[in-house]
């Protein structure tokens, strides 16, 4: 299963797909914004950034969508390593909430739900695409080369 940006929808839905066709809408760029937080940019031309569709503070059950960057904590996430090669994307606004697939079904939506260490629908792995490289500036003011990432 792969995280996928639906560029054809009016609200920029991000959902789960079973396809691993390596399409551009399945690539995301993690940009460090300081204090361990990341903005997750969608590399598709119509993309924007991953967003919790709600006001601050982020609320339980909020949909995960794509929006134009507004540089607030509805669009920032902590990346928590789980020690098994998977990661949990935690809300930077309310750290007890995590990006979660609402089911393991094809085209399942993503939502912000309470973190549960045993919930496999909150765990993501990253597959770098070495063909796409960009330079970002981190809070250390030192340029860092990173690769676009496919989230599976």
């Amino acid at each position: 299963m792969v995280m996928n940006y639906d560029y054809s929808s009016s609200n920029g839905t991000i959902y789960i797909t079973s396809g691993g066709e390596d399409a551009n809408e399945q690539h995301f760029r993690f940009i460090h914004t300081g204090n361990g937080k990341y903005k997750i940019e969608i590399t598709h031309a119509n993309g924007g950034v991953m967003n919790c569709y709600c006001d601050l503070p982020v609320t339980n059950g909020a949909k995960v969508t794509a929006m134009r960057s507004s540089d607030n904590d509805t669009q920032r996430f902590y990346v928590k390593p789980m020690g098994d090669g998977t990661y949990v994307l935690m809300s930077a606004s309310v750290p007890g909430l995590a990006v979660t697939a609402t089911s393991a079904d094809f085209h399942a939506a993503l939502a912000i739900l309470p973190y549960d260490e045993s919930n496999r629908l909150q765990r993501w792995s990253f597959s770098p695409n070495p063909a796409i490289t960009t330079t970002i500036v981190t809070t250390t003011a030192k340029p860092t080369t990173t690769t676009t990432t496919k989230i599976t």
Side-chain angles (χ1 to χ4, degrees), residues 31-45:
I31 301 169
H32 189 250
T33 61
N35 299 321
K37 299 175 186 179
Y38 289 85
K39 176 169 53 173
I40 304 173
E41 185 178 76
I42 300 157
T43 61
H44 188 277

Side-chain angles (χ1 to χ4, degrees), residues 81-109:
M82 298 306 293
D84 62 356
T86 64
Y87 299 83
V88 174
L89 304 176
M90 305 289 290
S91 164
S93 172
V94 181
L97 298 176
V99 174
T100 309
T102 54
S103 79
D105 296 334
F106 182 66
H107 280 224

Side-chain angles (χ1 to χ4, degrees), residues 116-127:
D116 175 357
E117 185 174 343
S118 64
N119 187 346
R120 298 300 296 177
L121 298 175
Q122 293 180 338
R123 299 221 181 167
W124 307 97
S125 61
F126 307 135
S127 302

Side-chain angles (χ1 to χ4, degrees), residues 43-60:
T43 61
H44 188 277
N46 296 340
V49 298
M50 188 179 288
N51 179 73
C52 302
Y53 194 71
C54 62
D55 294 325
L56 284 171
V58 169
T59 54
N60 180 9

Side-chain angles (χ1 to χ4, degrees), residues 2 26 45 73 77 95 106 142:
V2 177
Q26 296 172 350
D73 278 351
F77 301 87
F106 182 66
K142 179 179 175 185

